[in-house]
Amino acid sequence: MVSRVIPVDPFDLVIFGGTGDLARRKILPGLFRRYCAGQIEGDVRITGAARGEMDTQGYRDFAAEAIMASDQSAGTKKAHLDEFLAMLHYVVVDAMGDDGWEELARITRSDRIRAFYFSVAPRLFGPLAERLHQHGLADGQTRIVVEKPFGRDLKTARELNRVLAEHFDESQIYRIDHYLGKETVQNLMAIRFGNMLFEPLWNSQYVDHIQITVAEAVGVGGRGDYYDRAGAMRDMMQNHLMQLLCLIAMEPPAKFNPDSVRDEKLKVIRALDPVAPDDVVRGQYEGSGGRPSYRNQVGNRDSTTESFVALRARVSNWRWAGTPFYLRTGKRLKERASEIAVVFKDAPHSIFGEEAGRHRNILTIKLQPNEGIELGVTIKEPGPGGMRLVDVPLDMTFAEALGPEEADFPDAYERLIMDVIRGNQTLFMRGDEVEEAWAWADEVIAGWEKRGDDPLPYATGSAGPDDALMLMHRDGRRWREIKA
Ligand code: NDP
Ligand code: BG6
């Protein structure tokens, strides 16, 4: 099975913040991989733009280093690398000033798709939109890609939407949530809407509850400044986990096109109940074994920002009334392991008697690191010992099922940038979606701010604070183990 790579039309892409961490780790290596895959061809220009003094050759050297650091096999693709680097340019531009804009206008051509990637601090998103307009770069052909965070609450997100809408139509704005670019996340839609098997059972009559876990083993790293002002709720829950919840809970869209999908996701967010204060647990990691605590890492000894949040959400509609959604995410947890588990109800009556025990079907969609799907089914324990039941997984780890080459999925950023060039907004958030997600998150945050409670400490390498376990125990349920 060889997947088809359809080349995109030639384009000009400007990466504002082209020397930043994201460009270095994700955007440039991602573009290189798409080039190697044959998806980028023809007369393409990719321009890094930032304030730092550098010429085009300097930027090509910077990109080569970034690509080699992220892809150890890049050195063996020397011809490809040279060809790719020849597409790169650099312009010194200040988003807040007038420097460089004429040069940028000269270098990006108006007879082709022009995309401007805002990979800079969010306070620069508005000024960039304004200056693109002033310098005649905001025409109907232009697309802008806006990084996260998209606001820090409903008010700021609305304001940002308003500023962008002054110069760009919604169809030109690509708000990134890189979780939507992950292979398994898209597979979620294929599993649900491409199979007859699951959809009839996909409701509160058959589903006991749903768990969504996005666990990271890393701490806040070098992004402490940003993170300490955001916290897990704003950094992960409002966007990435919310998107996962939407894809799990939404009704089947009539078509797989941007607005049909986004309309259905929006309905889910609107159907979310406010989260009761008792249904939220926040945590903050402690240091251990020479690894710094959260407070040390962000350089704020009084910080009350959470690096972990767990909550119980309810989607109040016909499909889901009565089925809780348990969501949790955090840093410095046991392992990097993200999954969605759809836990089905017990069979209504056990013909095998009490001693056969309680068994449940669980459909697990493993997002990372080992992407795949696992369906837990109950069978008879082999052997002559009578009718004893045992749960076994029907395991489809993609790397095993498809072979390592087929399962070498493009990174989320690669896919999403190609979608921008193709003009496909399905995997990008619409303005109203982002605002609704903030309206929901704002209430949760306001709840704990009102109570004035501090996040609970948890040990590095644990599953978060014990209270998060209680969140499910008190409902007679338990979290699945965090394991890769
Ligand atoms: P960095 O701080 O590493 O880089 C910022 C970039 O912006 C640099 O290239 C900098 O270059 C440039 N820049 C700063 N001020 C200006 C200005 N006035 N005009 C033009 N360019 C400017 O940030 P990141 O790369 O980490 O993040 C970029 C965006 O991506 C942010 O919105 C962030 O939230 C988002 N993001 C980042 C992730 C990551 O892992 N890094 C993950 C998810 C989202 P110079 O100073 O020379 O101008
Ligand atoms: C980013 C968050 O959006 O996602 C980071 O800002 C987080 O804090 C990252 O580490 C996780 O992404 P992934 O793809 O590694 O799960």
Side-chain angles (χ1 to χ4, degrees):
M1 196 178 6
V2 177
S3 61
R4 284 181 310 142
V5 172
I6 303 170
V8 294
D9 290 337
F11 60 91
D12 281 0
L13 170 70
V14 174
I15 310 166
F16 291 111
T19 56
D21 178 65
L22 189 67
R24 191 170 46 76
R25 286 192 307 109
K26 295 286 181 184
I27 305 173
L28 290 167
L31 285 164
F32 174 64
R33 275 177 46 120
R34 288 298 90 209
Y35 179 76
C36 293
Q39 201 163 10
I40 297 177
E41 58 178 32
D43 187 7
V44 168
R45 257 181 217 169
I46 298 166
T47 305
R51 292 166 309 173
E53 285 299 334
M54 195 185 276
D55 59 12
T56 285
Q57 188 50 51
Y59 194 57
R60 289 176 182 171
D61 294 344
F62 167 86
E65 211 170 287
I67 290 164
M68 307 278 255
S70 115
D71 177 357
Q72 270 140 24
S73 68
T76 62
K77 301 174 192 149
K78 177 92 176 68
H80 274 126
L81 187 58
D82 289 345
E83 286 157 15
F84 176 75
L85 294 176
M87 293 177 169
L88 301 190
H89 301 263
Y90 184 78
V91 177
V92 180
V93 175
D94 185 353
M96 301 296 280
D98 294 322
D99 292 348
W101 286 94
E102 275 177 26
E103 167 72 355
L104 199 66
R106 200 184 52 71
I107 209 167
T108 52
R109 297 161 289 184
S110 56
D111 61 345
R112 63 195 52 231
I113 296 156
R114 286 194 295 197
F116 295 90
Y117 197 131
F118 294 6
S119 180
V120 292
R123 68 189 159 76
L124 301 177
F125 295 165
L128 279 179
E130 180 60 39
R131 278 181 177 71
L132 284 174
H133 166 71
Q134 274 172 18
H135 294 273
L137 289 162
D139 62 17
Q141 281 275 67
T142 303
R143 291 161 198 175
I144 58 168
V145 186
V146 187
E147 256 307 328
K148 67 170 285 202
F150 198 92
R152 60 170 278 112
D153 52 21
L154 175 59
K155 190 163 163 258
T156 47
R158 258 195 197 143
E159 176 56 15
L160 183 52
N161 273 335
R162 190 194 63 72
V163 171
L164 298 182
E166 279 181 10
H167 306 301
F168 298 96
D169 185 71
E170 180 61 34
S171 62
Q172 298 177 278
I173 305 172
Y174 292 74
R175 296 175 192 79
I176 290 253
D177 183 315
H178 78 280
Y179 266 58
L180 290 177
K182 287 184 190 277
E183 183 69 22
T184 332
V185 174
Q186 292 170 68
N187 226 328
L188 240 174
M189 285 187 273
I191 293 162
R192 281 196 61 193
F193 306 129
N195 293 290
M196 193 54 202
L197 199 58
F198 301 117
E199 203 49 28
L201 307 178
W202 212 259
N203 55 55
S204 60
Q205 204 184 332
Y206 295 100
V207 177
D208 178 73
H209 72 277
I210 289 172
Q211 305 186 15
I212 303 179
T213 297
V214 178
E216 295 186 89
V218 294
V220 293
R223 294 171 74 218
D225 257 9
Y226 149 75
Y227 195 92
D228 202 38
R229 279 177 281 118
M233 186 71 198
R234 289 188 171 93
D235 185 50
M236 298 290 288
M237 188 67 82
Q238 181 270 349
N239 40 80
H240 304 326
L241 279 88
M242 173 65 83
Q243 290 296 323
L244 299 179
L245 185 153
C246 285
L247 295 176
I248 280 283
M250 74 183 186
E251 294 302 314
K255 290 204 166 67
F256 189 59
N257 69 27
D259 277 334
S260 306
V261 172
R262 297 187 297 179
D263 285 347
E264 294 306 335
K265 288 198 288 163
L266 183 62
K267 285 185 210 161
V268 173
I269 308 176
R270 288 192 172 143
L272 280 168
D273 282 348
V275 180
D278 284 351
D279 287 348
V280 186
V281 177
R282 294 196 307 142
Q284 195 183 67
Y285 59 80
E286 295 180 306
S288 82
R291 301 175 81 190
S293 68
Y294 174 84
R295 289 180 178 188
N296 269 335
Q297 225 173 355
V298 300
N300 176 4
R301 52 196 286 206
D302 301 319
S303 175
T304 56
T305 302
E306 76 287 352
S307 56
F308 173 97
V309 63
L311 55 82
R312 182 174 66 173
R314 292 190 179 277
V315 181
S316 277
N317 61 18
W318 271 54
R319 189 188 280 264
W320 291 117
T323 297
F325 288 70
Y326 299 93
L327 279 59
R328 67 177 164 170
T329 181
K331 294 198 185 281
R332 281 279 189 84
L333 297 178
K334 205 171 149 211
E335 290 198 53
R336 177 176 190 248
S338 302
E339 63 165 42
I340 301 168
V342 181
V343 182
F344 290 92
K345 290 188 172 169
D346 293 349
H349 164 69
S350 171
I351 63 169
F352 305 111
E354 283 293 300
E355 61 281 8
R358 193 175 142 182
H359 297 271
R360 282 187 158 180
N361 298 120
I362 303 179
L363 176 70
T364 312
I365 297 128
K366 295 191 249 169
L367 304 178
Q368 53 197 27
N370 302 315
E371 293 106 330
I373 300 162
E374 188 181 287
L375 179 63
V377 290
T378 304
I379 60 165
K380 177 189 168 298
E381 193 178 79
M387 188 52 99
R388 279 205 297 266
L389 303 185
V390 62
D391 293 331
V392 292
L394 289 179
D395 188 349
M396 201 186 88
T397 302
F398 293 153
E400 283 164 23
L402 305 172
E405 261 178 47
E406 284 293 322
D408 184 19
F409 307 127
D411 174 79
Y413 282 90
E414 291 173 43
R415 178 191 309 270
L416 292 175
I417 297 171
M418 291 300 97
D419 277 358
V420 173
I421 307 302
R422 274 194 290 253
N424 185 346
Q425 289 185 305
T426 311
L427 300 176
F428 295 84
M429 293 178 299
R430 208 168 55 191
D432 50 2
E433 231 184 298
V434 180
E435 289 184 14
E436 287 293 337
W438 274 125
W440 175 83
D442 278 359
E443 273 196 60
V444 178
I445 295 167
W448 76 59
E449 282 178 351
K450 194 164 156 210
R451 291 204 308 188
D453 49 4
D454 288 347
L456 303 162
Y458 63 92
T460 286
S462 70
D466 288 347
D467 282 39
L469 306 180
M470 289 310 297
L471 188 70
M472 289 196 77
H473 286 183
R474 67 179 194 202
D475 292 348
R477 301 181 173 110
R478 57 192 314 163
W479 290 106
R480 285 164 56 80
E481 194 188 340
I482 295 178
K483 72 170 193 288

